[in-house]
Amino acid sequence: MIDATVAAANEHSLKTALSDVARAHGFERFAYLNLHTAKSFAVSTYQKEWQSLYFSRSYMAIDPVVTAAKRLRRAFRWSVDVERRRADNSIKEFYDAAAEFGIRSGLSIPIWTGFGQFAILTLASARHLEMLMPRGTELQSGCAAPAKQKRSQEGR
């Protein structure tokens, strides 16, 4: 996955590479959100309507996935269906809106980019989490599998 993002020369190639990574791991969509103090940007295969709603309503300020990524500092899985049960009303509204756009579960990977800057890669699906990643699934082995496969094909 890291090789794919490093090799991306522009936004289009980054989008293509991350789309391939998402599909290879059973997810329909991805979002890469780079949260820099001066300027944030996103590359995503989420629907344009959801992206517009997300930024116009400043959802990045309350998005529980972004909050958890900053706090946990490791890859984690999440599910709207599970998290919604313990959320307050504003977060429930956020989860309901996300689910309407087919964002129901996912795997999120925080990326600390230096100088206190932060990005997050989320692989997302409209399917229930247990259908994608049964409990006990090793997160890092799934992300490392393509690199291991490439090395074995190269004879390493």
Side-chain angles (χ1 to χ4, degrees):
M1 178 170 63
I2 292 170
D3 290 342
T5 58
V6 169
N10 57 44
E11 186 175 324
H12 175 73
S13 58
L14 178 62
K15 193 172 193 175
T16 300
L18 291 176
S19 292
D20 291 346
V21 169
R23 280 192 303 274
H25 289 82
F27 296 92
E28 298 95 34
R29 299 171 181 82
F30 81 87
Y32 175 79
L33 183 60
N34 194 327
L35 300 170
H36 284 273
T37 343
K39 181 183 175 189
S40 296
F41 80 94
V43 177
S44 173
T45 55
Y46 290 167
Q47 294 175 14
K48 295 291 181 201
E49 296 86 359
W50 170 247
Q51 292 180 52
S52 295
L53 186 67
Y54 188 91
F55 289 107
S56 69
R57 293 193 180 170
S58 299
Y59 278 153
M60 79 174 80
I62 65 163
D63 185 339
V65 172
V66 172
T67 303
K70 288 178 179 177
R71 186 183 76 249
L72 295 174
R73 296 179 172 251
R74 63 171 169 75
F76 62 96
R77 37 187 249 159
W78 53 268
S79 166
V80 165
D81 301 315
V82 172
E83 303 301 326
R84 189 183 185 290
R85 292 183 208 139
R86 55 180 169 240
D88 66 29
N89 287 338
S90 66
I91 302 299
K92 284 180 183 177
E93 177 188 311
F94 169 80
Y95 281 137
D96 291 345
E100 284 180 34
F101 286 94
I103 303 165
R104 192 161 217 92
S105 63
L107 168 66
S108 293
I109 305 161
I111 304 162
W112 295 94
T113 59
F115 303 106
Q117 304 302 316
F118 171 77
I120 181 171
L121 173 63
T122 293
L123 308 179
S125 178
R127 292 177 285 160
H128 292 281
L129 184 63
E130 292 301 321
M131 293 174 67
L132 288 166
M133 301 177 69
R135 198 159 283 294
T137 299
E138 189 77 27
L139 294 179
Q140 293 179 351
S141 67
C143 293
K148 287 180 186 175
Q149 181 180 14
K150 184 178 178 184
R151 282 194 301 268
S152 68
Q153 290 171 345
E154 293 171 348
R156 291 183 187 165

